Amino acid sequence: MIKTTVKDQDFLKHKTDSLIVHCLEEKKPKGILKDLDRILNRSITSAMKNKRFEGKLNQSLLLNSRAALEAENVLLVGLGKAADLTGDRICQASGTAAKRAENTKCKKVSIYMQDGALEKAMRSVKAKSCEDPACLVAQGCYLALYHFDHYKTNDGDDPPSRVEEIVLLAPDKKRSASMVDAVDYARKISAAVCLARDLGSHPSNTVTPTYLANEAKKTARKNGMTCKILQKKDMEKLGMGSFLGVAKGAHEPPAFIVLEYTAGPKSLAPIVIVGKGITFDTGGISLKPAGGMDEMKMDMSGGAVTLATLQAAASLKLPVNLVGLIPATENMPGGSAIKPGDILTSMSGKTIEVLNTDAEGRLVLADALSYAQRYKPEAVIDLATLTGAVVVALGSHASAVIGNDADLTEKLIKSGTASGERLWELPLWEEYEKSVKSNIADLKNIASAGVGAGTITGAAFLKPFAGDQPWCHIDIAGTSWYSDNRPLTPKGSSGFGVRLLINFLEEEIKSRKKKKR
């Protein structure tokens, strides 16, 4: 993570490559902008008058200080209207500014946090995801400046420019101390998101089920968690025929990863997070088209987010009990692979007619959801790149959430709004459940032809395995991988879900404390 310091130094005397200043949408310079405008020969007034900068969300303006300040450049970034300010907007604007600074080859960037009026506005944001705006600012910078360079040799004469240092300028020593804690929080959350992004970005000849299992062991050791890896023989004893059916065609051995983090009261039932861990998805015998198949290395994004969320919770020392389950395997064609028409017997005893081997995610999740029930959980949340249909429905700007408990669903949606990782609820009516009933088995892994609603019927298939406890399924197929650069996420693996789930867990902790009063 980038070196970050907090200083209570006068911004006029602070030496840096770029001084970042957040701005609300205004018609003329106010507060610190008024002072900077005077120092910079009314260049901000000119930019506003010509509508080159108005403070709109993610709008930026880079001004050379021409030695009028110790800072070489001043970089203004818009937050939009004060009435629309949210935690996500503060994050986005900070990330936009950090990335702009990096693209102009700045090594050291400093962020002005000394305007009392602006910080007051930041602290009063709607649906805030943490208490301190410094946390949101730092988090935005860390996430936007993420790079996946593991396989680049950098033999060229012009290596890419990278920001090497971030400085937050505090108004005084007291505020400086609280900002240090906020930055530490942001660092831990961002590190977890970046772990999920890394796992989703590595090729599948690196991230095999065994690699994912070893990464889970390493994470558990570093963070005081327990980790158990079920091998094929263990799964056979448990009767995980649905999961093992998917693994049949792969040469890489499957792994069922079980992570446990216990920091809450012993009497408190755990929250179980289940993440689909298909480390490469060819579609099996129902082979996918060649175009875009390379991106199927990210079909384990649900598993990556599960692992990263437990890392974040442990590093933040959240007083909760968590279990993470990651059924990891490849989905490959071959002589031993399952075929359309085959029937599998799941851990629950329910039989499944396989009509399409490319609907494999629900098969591995079925046994994972059954395994989750042994914990008698408070709630179960599964995340999976399950269906292309969710992209048709929601594009890449939100994930679908479907569940059997309205209260759990509502809490997750609120956390999605707070974190900027938005969810949209889809229904789960009885008609959808009927569409996955098989004529010759208990269930079939795709709905009857012509039913449509692929995202919902995928969830309808999972519901019988989820049991009676509160359960929600989050389909992240459209949000786990971006084909374009975004304010907080470069093109590629996004790590979507980590910030949402941490916000959800923190809100659960707050709710528990209120009940005790």
Side-chain angles (χ1 to χ4, degrees):
M1 203 64 70
I2 301 165
K3 177 185 175 184
T4 308
T5 54
V6 178
K7 294 182 179 179
D8 56 328
Q9 183 181 13
D10 185 349
F11 78 95
L12 292 170
K13 299 175 182 177
H14 180 68
K15 193 175 180 65
T16 185
D17 295 336
S18 193
L19 177 67
I20 295 171
V21 180
H22 293 78
C23 311
L24 292 168
E25 191 172 339
E26 305 281 4
K27 292 183 178 178
K28 60 181 182 179
K30 292 183 180 179
I32 179 61
L33 287 193
K34 199 171 181 179
D35 297 332
L36 284 171
D37 189 44
R38 176 179 48 79
I39 294 167
L40 299 175
N41 199 25
R42 292 181 60 78
S43 55
I44 298 173
T45 294
S46 174
M48 286 183 162
K49 187 176 179 181
N50 296 316
K51 297 193 174 181
R52 288 186 292 115
F53 183 79
E54 300 168 273
K56 293 181 184 297
L57 179 63
N58 295 330
Q59 189 181 35
S60 63
L61 177 68
L62 184 67
L63 298 168
N64 189 286
S65 71
R66 300 184 185 278
L69 294 164
E70 287 294 316
E72 188 175 332
N73 300 286
V74 173
L75 177 54
L76 308 183
V77 64
L79 290 167
K81 295 182 186 298
D84 298 329
L85 196 58
T86 63
D88 180 50
R89 286 185 165 222
I90 296 168
C91 258
Q92 280 193 45
S94 303
T96 296
K99 197 68 184 173
R100 175 95 190 260
E102 184 175 74
N103 289 340
T104 52
K105 300 190 181 299
C106 294
K107 300 289 186 186
K108 178 181 178 181
V109 299
S110 302
I111 302 160
Y112 179 82
M113 299 286 292
Q114 297 174 343
D115 187 329
L118 181 58
E119 181 154 287
K120 186 178 179 182
M122 286 182 171
R123 281 182 176 277
S124 64
V125 295
K126 296 176 293 183
K128 57 189 175 184
S129 56
C130 61
E131 298 297 331
D132 197 316
C135 170
L136 297 166
V137 169
Q139 197 175 133
C141 292
Y142 293 146
L143 295 177
L145 294 173
Y146 168 83
H147 297 279
F148 186 76
D149 292 334
H150 295 257
Y151 300 95
K152 295 202 174 194
T153 56
N154 289 328
D155 287 337
D157 298 328
D158 188 22
S161 177
R162 298 287 187 255
V163 169
E164 296 173 358
E165 183 179 1
I166 297 171
V167 180
L168 273 67
L169 296 175
D172 51 51
K173 286 186 178 179
K174 184 179 179 182
R175 183 73 187 95
S176 177
S178 65
M179 284 170 65
V180 168
D181 292 337
V183 168
D184 182 60
Y185 176 100
R187 185 187 296 276
K188 288 170 180 174
I189 290 282
S190 302
V193 175
C194 292
L195 169 63
R197 288 178 179 179
D198 280 351
L199 290 170
S201 298
H202 277 300
S204 64
N205 60 332
T206 296
V207 177
T208 61
T210 300
Y211 180 98
L212 203 55
N214 288 336
E215 196 66 28
K217 288 178 188 174
K218 191 194 309 179
T219 301
R221 279 195 301 270
K222 283 182 180 177
N223 293 281
M225 296 186 283
T226 62
C227 181
K228 179 169 62 175
I229 310 298
L230 303 184
Q231 307 293 340
K232 184 180 176 182
K233 61 182 181 181
D234 303 312
M235 295 178 241
E236 287 172 342
K237 285 180 183 176
L238 289 167
M240 290 185 172
S242 186
F243 176 26
L244 290 173
V246 176
K248 279 182 68 178
H251 286 222
E252 290 287 342
F256 191 91
I257 301 164
V258 182
L259 284 160
E260 296 178 4
Y261 167 68
T262 307
K266 289 184 179 179
S267 59
L268 189 67
I271 292 171
V272 179
I273 303 171
V274 181
K276 174 185 170 185
I278 302 296
T279 57
F280 195 78
D281 183 17
T282 65
I285 297 295
S286 306
L287 197 66
K288 291 180 181 290
M293 196 196 285
D294 58 293
E295 292 183 0
M296 288 300 101
K297 63 183 181 178
M298 62 78 180
D299 209 25
M300 39 60 69
S301 294
V305 168
T306 298
L307 174 57
T309 299
L310 267 81
Q311 174 184 293
S315 64
L316 292 168
K317 295 181 168 53
L318 297 185
V320 293
N321 297 330
L322 284 179
V323 175
L325 303 178
I326 307 169
T329 183
E330 294 179 336
N331 183 26
M332 301 289 282
S336 60
I338 54 170
K339 308 169 292 297
D342 285 359
I343 293 179
L344 306 175
T345 301
S346 68
M347 181 181 172
S348 70
K350 292 182 176 65
T351 54
I352 303 164
E353 182 185 12
V354 179
L355 295 183
N356 187 319
T357 65
D358 194 24
E360 86 299 329
R362 62 201 69 184
L363 296 176
V364 302
L365 289 175
D367 282 342
L369 289 171
S370 294
Y371 189 89
Q373 290 182 48
R374 63 177 48 203
Y375 291 96
K376 295 183 172 59
E378 180 185 337
V380 177
I381 302 163
D382 78 72
L383 301 96
T385 47
L386 205 74
T387 66
V390 77
V391 185
V392 177
L394 298 173
S396 60
H397 299 289
S399 290
V401 59
I402 306 169
N404 64 6
D405 186 89
D407 184 50
L408 177 61
T409 303
E410 184 182 358
K411 287 176 179 178
L412 287 168
I413 290 171
K414 283 182 178 177
S415 288
T417 301
S419 63
E421 296 186 329
R422 293 176 293 190
L423 301 179
W424 190 263
E425 185 181 6
L426 295 178
L428 189 53
W429 296 322
E430 186 181 349
E431 289 86 346
Y432 296 119
E433 296 178 51
K434 287 180 179 177
S435 71
V436 291
K437 299 291 184 185
S438 168
N439 291 329
I440 60 171
D442 297 323
L443 297 162
K444 53 189 177 185
N445 76 329
I446 59 171
S448 307
V451 170
T455 301
I456 300 172
T457 57
F461 174 88
L462 294 175
K463 185 183 176 183
F465 302 97
D468 297 327
Q469 70 275 332
W471 158 76
C472 272
H473 161 67
I474 302 175
D475 194 331
I476 58 172
T479 53
S480 61
W481 185 274
Y482 295 143
S483 58
D484 56 350
N485 290 311
R486 304 196 179 189
L488 297 177
T489 312
K491 178 182 177 180
S493 180
S494 70
F496 181 103
V498 177
R499 292 184 296 144
L500 182 161
L501 290 173
I502 291 298
N503 182 276
F504 166 76
L505 293 172
E506 289 180 328
E507 291 302 315
E508 287 296 284
I509 293 165
K510 288 177 189 174
S511 177
R512 196 196 317 147
K513 286 179 180 177
K514 283 180 183 177
K515 287 177 182 176
K516 282 184 177 180
R517 288 175 189 169

